């Protein structure tokens, strides 16, 4: 029978099927961090259950870590305790930890791919909904709750019902200045935040085929924002080239053997999806959000729609926006470039190429937070930090930072933040903070202009991206 | 895990749609290393103003409404995978959440913590919201064994779906770890066959 990419990877990981119930699915890699793992470790130790396959687990500290002075003890006592527990739990259970200060430390969904931990055809889980990021490699990767973290610790497996299959096709030629972030924000704005619930999504079409791995990660990262547990893109030469030579990637003959297998991970031509959508690349423009969920997005030049709906109105009231209002020229005091969605080297290259020769607007506080130590290192090697410094920007140290504001990187109440992160929920970036999601290019242009501008109207920009 | 068989309770109406887990439990409360105490902070930023004063407009601060059933708008529990949201709702005393749609991860987290998420049609949800809003003494009767939901005093019975495996778990208080560990042999055999 014809199979989809998802079927091929899923079916290979089925250990057993319960009659009239879920399946036991084998998990190849389990990524953990300080926030969603402690209760799972406690659960195991209370029940006297050992961690079954510690060598298949990799840990990092990212969610509540500071992004300045990482060499000093963490000031917040609760955060410090959580980090200490992670270290102790990893030591006790022989789990590899890339903690604060380690050369491989960074956001869990940035380090997995850049270290070659993430490989095509795998199953990867993490107690974090943006685990969908790793689907960019043609892996089945999804976020899990802490009870499930404990289950994977105990058995390296999960009990799952096979999700339904969804395909989103985007074909055509993207306009200059339209980035992967705009593509996924456009898809979510079209389909809504719960359209993908119960599904695993495959992104197909020449737009994704022509995208870099980092762009594909940005797209897959936000699959959960339309409700899909995960998103996938079929691995191809771009994927193999990216994985090749990475620290934990297979080497030499083993790599060639893997590639031969990875090449089979494509949806068969006559495979059937439960649901399918198609969009044209030419219709996509730089996107921004105006509301309190990622589906509330518009093209940057458009006006906020007018719906008579209590939840919609509650959302606009929180944002202090009016129906029919345009966001162009809206003054903005905070800009955040970072998060597991957009904190990789290409994101900083885009930002730097726009910023070069310009100055940050005096009203703007801009937080530039690399996704990992490796990204921070590349920023320096490529001289991007000099461009940022000359323009009045300061780079911070890696971590999740203002994406969820668990550390001190909080946007003040009532302030707008143009953010490259993934969620514009109420209070997500700090109590009362108002988030506008956008691409790194829009974030950079906002930081320079001090307000939201349409970069497509600036001819000089289009040369750069 | 606590068993769940049947519950008769008044219910709290919260018609807002797309309630994400950041609202259920804001990220700044995720620094604990155990599961206790999250109930105090459930819907924190909707229950309290930033200065700490009580938001009297929010339903959990309205003494007319109480009970261990929460009736919420479409797409409840979207966003972050944080199981702290389920711990917070359970900690506050909710045992059943009724909505017309649940986000995947939240639904699983709820079931893994003995909370029963019941999906009903949008029409039924609106009827139920109207009834409990107008008469806070309305009791809802939830019978997991027979998978039925009934408003006490009304004849209409609403059937609901639940995964048969999860139903057995809830009725008996079992969790997935027990089941997975009982399959260790199969898991090891799988590993040997599919050399990782």
């Amino acid at each position: 029978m014809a199979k989809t990419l998802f079927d091929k990877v899923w079916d290979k990981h089925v250990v057993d099927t319960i009659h009239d119930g879920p399946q036991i699915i084998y998990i190849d890699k389990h990524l953990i961090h300080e926030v969603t793992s402690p209760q799972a470790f406690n659960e195991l130790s209370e029940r006297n259950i050992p961690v079954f396959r510690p060598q298949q687990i990799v840990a990092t500290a990212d969610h509540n870590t500071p992004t300045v002075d990482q060499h000093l003890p963490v000031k917040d006592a609760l955060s410090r305790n959580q980090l200490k527990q992670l270290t102790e739990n990893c030591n006790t259970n022989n789990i590899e930890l890339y903690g604060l200060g380690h050369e491989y430390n960074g956001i869990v969904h940035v380090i997995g791919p850049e270290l070659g931990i993430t490989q095509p055809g795998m199953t990867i889980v993490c107690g974090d909904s943006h685990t969908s990021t790793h689907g960019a490699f043609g892996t089945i990767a999804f976020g899990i709750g802490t009870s499930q973290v404990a289950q994977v610790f105990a058995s390296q497996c999960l009990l799952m019902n096979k999700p339904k299959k969804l395909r989103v096709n985007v074909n055509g030629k993207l306009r200059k200045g339209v980035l992967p972030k705009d593509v996924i924000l456009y898809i979510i704005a079209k389909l809504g935040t719960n359209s993908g619930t119960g599904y695993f999504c495959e992104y197909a079409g020449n737009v994704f085929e022509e995208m870099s791995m980092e762009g594909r990660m940005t797209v897959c990262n936000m699959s959960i924002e339309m409700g899909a547990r995960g998103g996938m893109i079929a691995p191809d030469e771009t994927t193999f080239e990216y994985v090749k030579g990475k620290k934990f990637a297979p080497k030499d003959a083993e790599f060639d053997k893997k590639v031969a297998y990875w090449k089979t991970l494509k949806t068969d031509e006559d495979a059937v999806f439960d649901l399918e959508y198609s969009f044209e690349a030419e219709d996509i423009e730089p996107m921004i959000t105006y509301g309190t969920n990622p589906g509330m997005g518009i093209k940057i030049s458009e006006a906020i729609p007018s719906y008579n709906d209590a939840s919609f109105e509650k959302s606009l009231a929180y944002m202090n926006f009016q129906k029919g209002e345009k966001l162009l020229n809206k003054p903005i005091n905070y800009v955040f470039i970072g998060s597991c969605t957009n904190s990789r080297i290409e994101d900083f290259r885009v930002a730097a190429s726009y910023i070069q020769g310009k100055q940050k607007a005096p009203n703007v506080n801009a937080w530039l937070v690399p996704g990992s130590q490796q990204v921070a290192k590349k920023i320096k090697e490529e001289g991007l930090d000099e461009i940022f410094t000359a323009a009045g920007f300061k780079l911070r140290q890696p971590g999740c930072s203002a994406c969820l504001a668990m550390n001190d990187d909080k946007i003040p109440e009532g302030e707008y933040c143009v953010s490259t992160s993934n969620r514009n929920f109420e209070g997500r970036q700090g109590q009362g903070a108002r988030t506008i999601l956008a691409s790194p290019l829009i974030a950079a242009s906002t930081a320079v202009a001090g307000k939201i501008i349409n970069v497509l109207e600036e001819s000089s920009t289009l040369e750069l991206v | 895990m606590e068993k769940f068989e049947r519950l008769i309770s008044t219910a709290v109406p919260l018609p807002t749609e797309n309630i994400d887990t950041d609202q259920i439990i804001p990220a700044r409360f995720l620094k604990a290393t155990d599961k206790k105490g999250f109930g105090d902070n459930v819907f924190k930023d909707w229950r309290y103003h930033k200065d700490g004063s009580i938001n009297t407009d929010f339903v959990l601060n309205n003494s007319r409404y109480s009970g261990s059933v929460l009736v919420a708008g479409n797409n409840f529990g979207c966003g972050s995978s944080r199981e702290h949201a389920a711990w917070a709702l359970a900690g506050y005393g909710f045992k059943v959440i009724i909505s017309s749609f649940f986000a995947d991860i939240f639904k699983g987290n709820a079931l893994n913590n003995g909370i029963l998420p019941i999906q009903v049609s949008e029409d039924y949800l609106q009827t139920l919201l109207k009834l409990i809003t107008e008469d806070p003494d309305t009791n809802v009767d939830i019978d997991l064994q027979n998978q039925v939901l009934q408003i006490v005093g009304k004849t209409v019975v609403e059937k609901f779906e639940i995964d048969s495996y999860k139903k057995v778990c809830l009725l008996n208080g079992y969790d997935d770890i027990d089941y997975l560990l009982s399959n260790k042999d199969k898991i090891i055999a799988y590993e040997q066959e599919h050399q990782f």
Side-chain angles (χ1 to χ4, degrees):
Chain A
M1 206 182 106
K3 286 183 167 190
T4 66
L5 160 64
F6 176 76
D7 290 328
K8 289 180 185 180
V9 181
W10 179 276
D11 293 351
K12 210 173 166 75
H13 288 85
V14 175
V15 174
D16 198 18
T17 301
I18 303 173
H19 177 69
D20 198 22
Q23 293 180 303
I24 301 178
I25 296 298
Y26 193 80
I27 303 302
D28 295 320
K29 289 284 177 193
H30 185 192
L31 308 173
I32 63 170
H33 60 83
E34 74 276 23
V35 175
T36 56
S37 66
Q39 291 87 351
F41 280 114
N42 292 349
E43 177 91 31
L44 256 70
S45 93
E46 279 161 21
R47 293 164 73 161
N48 211 12
I49 303 169
V51 173
F52 181 49
R53 293 289 181 241
Q55 72 280 15
Q56 282 166 245
I57 308 171
V58 176
T60 184
D62 57 2
H63 275 63
N64 71 27
T65 52
T67 55
V68 289
D69 295 334
Q70 287 186 350
H71 60 291
L72 299 176
V74 175
K75 274 191 234 156
D76 180 87
L78 289 173
S79 300
R80 195 170 61 238
N81 180 50
Q82 219 171 31
L83 294 166
K84 188 172 143 250
Q85 285 238 354
L86 179 70
T87 307
E88 287 172 4
N89 285 330
C90 288
N91 286 343
T92 311
N93 295 288
N94 290 319
I95 293 167
E96 186 80 56
L97 166 66
Y98 302 132
L100 269 190
H102 193 285
E103 63 172 323
Y104 297 150
N105 176 254
I107 304 175
V108 62
H109 310 310
V110 174
I111 69 167
E114 76 183 5
L115 293 174
I117 295 166
T118 307
Q119 295 164 25
M122 284 181 165
T123 47
I124 300 180
V125 295
C126 174
D128 187 285
S129 60
H130 293 111
T131 307
S132 57
T133 310
H134 308 264
F137 293 77
T139 65
I140 290 183
F142 54 91
I144 56 177
T146 297
S147 295
Q148 292 175 306
V149 172
Q151 290 158 27
V152 182
F153 281 162
S155 68
Q156 205 58 34
C157 286
L158 281 174
L159 283 167
M160 301 279 294
N161 288 302
K162 190 175 180 179
K164 288 184 282 186
K165 291 164 287 184
L166 159 70
R167 181 160 63 184
V168 175
N169 305 288
V170 186
N171 283 293
K173 193 167 165 43
L174 287 177
R175 300 162 67 162
K176 282 191 175 176
V178 174
L179 302 183
K181 181 64 164 287
D182 299 308
V183 175
I184 188 63
L185 283 174
Y186 176 88
I187 293 169
I188 300 166
K190 286 282 179 191
L191 301 182
T193 50
N194 63 8
S195 56
T197 307
Y199 294 89
F200 229 84
C201 179
E202 180 176 343
Y203 300 96
N206 73 293
V207 164
F208 304 111
E209 286 162 17
E210 290 158 21
M211 234 176 230
S212 69
M213 283 315 294
E214 296 196 356
R216 294 178 191 183
M217 287 185 233
T218 299
V219 170
C220 290
N221 172 276
M222 290 191 72
S223 303
I224 186 70
E225 309 311 336
M226 58 175 174
R229 201 73 186 263
M232 300 175 92
I233 294 173
D236 58 10
E237 289 303 327
T238 307
T239 321
F240 312 147
E241 198 50 43
Y242 179 97
V243 174
K244 193 175 186 175
K246 293 278 186 289
K247 173 91 182 161
F248 298 107
K251 306 274 181 305
D252 308 321
E254 182 60 23
F255 180 79
D256 296 338
K257 207 174 117 194
K258 287 277 187 191
V259 168
Y261 167 59
W262 294 343
K263 282 183 175 169
T264 67
L265 300 175
K266 280 188 187 325
T267 292
D268 296 333
E269 256 181 44
D270 41 353
V272 179
F273 287 81
D274 298 290
L275 193 59
E276 190 149 9
Y277 297 101
S278 293
F279 299 104
E280 286 170 25
E282 290 78 5
D283 287 344
I284 307 174
E285 280 179 34
M287 299 288 292
I288 46 169
T289 62
Y290 59 86
T292 56
N293 72 57
M296 300 174 83
I298 48 175
K299 294 173 183 173
I300 197 162
S301 55
E302 285 178 340
I304 294 172
S306 302
Y307 301 120
N308 292 319
D309 169 279
S311 294
F312 180 81
E313 283 162 3
K314 180 179 185 289
S315 184
L316 284 199
Y318 180 84
M319 293 300 288
N320 196 27
F321 288 148
Q322 312 299 319
K323 293 175 184 176
E325 186 180 0
K326 282 196 172 190
L327 298 188
L328 281 180
N329 296 318
K330 182 70 92 183
I332 302 291
N333 295 329
Y334 286 84
V335 169
F336 171 57
I337 300 182
S339 86
C340 57
T341 316
N342 283 119
S343 64
R344 299 179 181 84
I345 190 64
E346 287 176 12
D347 301 315
F348 289 96
R349 282 183 197 143
V350 165
S353 67
Y354 182 85
I355 286 166
Q356 187 156 33
K358 301 187 180 83
Q359 280 296 311
K360 181 181 77 62
N363 62 309
V364 169
N365 290 292
W367 297 340
L368 275 55
V369 185
S372 69
Q373 293 289 357
Q374 300 286 303
V375 173
K377 200 171 138 201
K378 268 195 203 141
I379 289 173
K380 280 214 172 64
E381 281 168 7
E382 296 184 14
L384 306 183
D385 58 330
E386 286 163 27
I387 296 172
F388 293 131
T389 309
F393 292 89
K394 204 170 160 255
L395 275 168
R396 299 173 82 92
Q397 290 172 299
C400 297
S401 181
C403 173
L404 83 167
M406 268 194 85
N407 66 359
D408 289 339
D409 304 347
K410 293 176 173 44
I411 308 301
E413 186 174 14
E415 289 285 355
Y416 293 107
C417 177
V418 170
S419 175
T420 66
S421 54
N422 38 54
R423 287 189 174 133
N424 50 353
F425 297 152
E426 284 184 31
R428 173 81 179 179
Q429 296 194 289
Q431 273 182 279
R434 296 166 172 151
T435 303
I436 296 171
L437 301 176
S439 77
L441 176 61
I442 297 301
S445 65
T446 304
V448 167
K451 57 184 185 176
I452 297 173
I453 59 166
N454 188 355
V455 285
L456 286 191
E457 287 169 359
E458 281 185 286
S459 56
S460 61
T461 308
L462 301 181
E463 308 298 314
L464 302 169
V465 185
Chain B
M1 201 171 72
E2 232 177 281
K3 287 183 190 180
F4 185 107
E5 288 167 345
R6 188 172 178 188
L7 176 74
I8 300 172
S9 169
T10 52
V12 179
L14 183 55
T16 306
E17 295 184 351
N18 298 313
I19 293 176
D20 58 77
T21 53
D22 272 79
Q23 306 317 312
I24 300 170
I25 184 83
R28 63 184 186 280
F29 300 114
L30 307 186
K31 295 180 183 181
T33 51
D34 59 27
K35 297 179 185 177
K36 295 184 206 90
F38 289 103
D40 295 340
N41 295 316
V42 75
F43 293 113
K44 184 77 171 194
D45 294 340
W46 287 0
R47 279 161 72 198
Y48 299 94
H49 297 297
K50 205 180 172 192
D51 62 10
S53 62
I54 290 175
N55 174 11
T56 50
D57 292 337
F58 186 58
V59 70
L60 293 190
N61 293 326
N62 185 337
S63 58
R64 293 181 70 213
Y65 300 103
S66 63
S68 41
V69 177
L70 179 68
V71 185
N74 189 273
N75 199 24
F76 186 82
C78 59
S80 156
S81 62
R82 61 189 69 165
E83 195 159 316
H84 312 66
W87 301 332
L89 290 163
Y92 187 82
F94 289 119
K95 292 187 164 64
V96 171
I97 318 283
I98 301 174
S99 178
S100 51
F101 199 83
F102 290 92
D104 273 342
I105 305 180
F106 174 79
K107 195 176 183 176
N109 287 344
L111 288 165
N112 283 333
N113 286 279
I115 297 176
L116 175 62
I118 299 181
Q119 186 168 323
V120 295
S121 69
E122 188 61 38
D123 283 350
Y124 187 85
L125 180 75
Q126 293 309 325
T127 306
L128 186 59
L129 279 169
K130 189 165 181 287
L131 271 172
I132 60 173
T133 306
E134 286 171 0
D135 179 6
D137 295 328
T138 304
N139 270 281
V140 186
D141 182 351
I142 293 125
D143 177 353
L144 176 58
Q145 183 65 57
N146 295 306
Q147 293 178 227
V148 290
L149 167 69
Q150 192 173 7
I151 295 158
V152 175
K154 308 265 175 194
T155 49
V156 185
V157 169
E158 181 84 352
K159 284 283 284 180
F160 62 85
E161 296 295 319
I162 180 169
D163 180 275
S164 53
Y165 165 80
K166 275 294 167 195
K167 180 177 168 179
V168 172
C169 288
L170 272 184
L171 287 171
N172 296 288
Y174 299 157
D175 71 15
D176 290 354
I177 290 189
D178 300 326
Y179 187 83
L180 287 165
L181 288 177
S182 70
N183 280 278
K184 223 35 178 300
D185 291 350
K186 284 181 189 161
I187 294 168
I188 291 169
Y190 171 90
E191 286 180 325
Q192 283 162 353
E193 238 175 86
H194 300 78
Q195 209 186 356
F196 178 67

